[in-house]
Amino acid sequence: MKTDLDCLFCKIIAGTVPSDQVYSDDQVIVFKDINPKAPVHLLIVPRDHIISLNELENNHDKLIGHIMRLLPKLAKEQGLDNGFRTIINTGRGGGQIVFHLHIHLLGGKEHLGGF
Ligand code: 5GP
Ligand code: ZN
């Protein structure tokens, strides 16, 4: 599993930067976004330092399947019975700020609005 000592999310995974963690297993950790855009705003982060969707390879298929199946479970745990939004920003043009793959899970407002 790759790690990058200069990467913020690798530091959070290593525990050298604190986070408000809500879930963890052998493949991912999940913590609250420091600047939440909705009442529930979680970040699902693979333990492996993968920069973005652009760097995914065949051997990541199991991880991606795991994350997709985990999302509705996390949403349910957070009480998001009315639905939730997932966002993946890829590259600077896609609004990515932290270059370690992560999935945003948002919800808890009546409507998040469309775009
Ligand atoms: P991106 O734009 O890269 O998809 O999103 C990065 C997210 O990480 C942003 O929503 C930002 O608020 C969040 N973030 C940045 N630094 C930290 C931090 O130190 N701790 C936590 N929990 N979230 C952070
Ligand atoms: Zn990293």
Side-chain angles (χ1 to χ4, degrees):
M1 212 170 295
K2 262 185 285 175
T3 189
D4 178 342
L5 295 175
D6 295 325
C7 167
L8 174 63
F9 285 177
C10 283
K11 289 179 189 170
I12 288 178
I13 290 161
T16 54
V17 169
S19 71
D20 199 342
Q21 201 171 300
V22 302
Y23 175 87
S24 163
D25 64 30
D26 59 332
Q27 296 183 73
V28 299
I29 71 162
V30 180
F31 51 86
K32 295 183 181 174
D33 196 293
I34 206 165
N35 180 23
K37 302 287 194 301
V40 175
H41 187 170
L42 302 181
L43 300 173
I44 294 82
V45 182
R47 289 183 178 275
D48 201 357
H49 178 79
I50 302 162
I51 294 171
S52 77
L53 288 181
N54 284 329
E55 282 71 28
L56 282 177
E57 295 172 3
N58 286 347
N59 62 322
H60 296 123
D61 286 358
K62 190 162 165 267
L63 168 69
I64 296 308
H66 177 62
I67 291 173
M68 290 300 134
R69 301 259 295 116
L70 181 61
L71 288 163
K73 292 178 194 163
L74 291 167
K76 197 172 178 199
E77 268 176 29
Q78 295 290 320
L80 301 178
D81 300 325
N82 205 24
F84 60 92
R85 174 175 290 176
T86 44
I87 297 174
I88 306 174
N89 297 322
T90 303
R92 284 183 206 287
Q96 188 174 7
I97 293 167
V98 178
F99 289 89
H100 179 134
L101 179 65
H102 54 280
I103 293 84
H104 296 257
L105 169 59
L106 299 120
K109 282 184 184 169
E110 184 84 355
H111 299 287
L112 276 169
F115 67 95

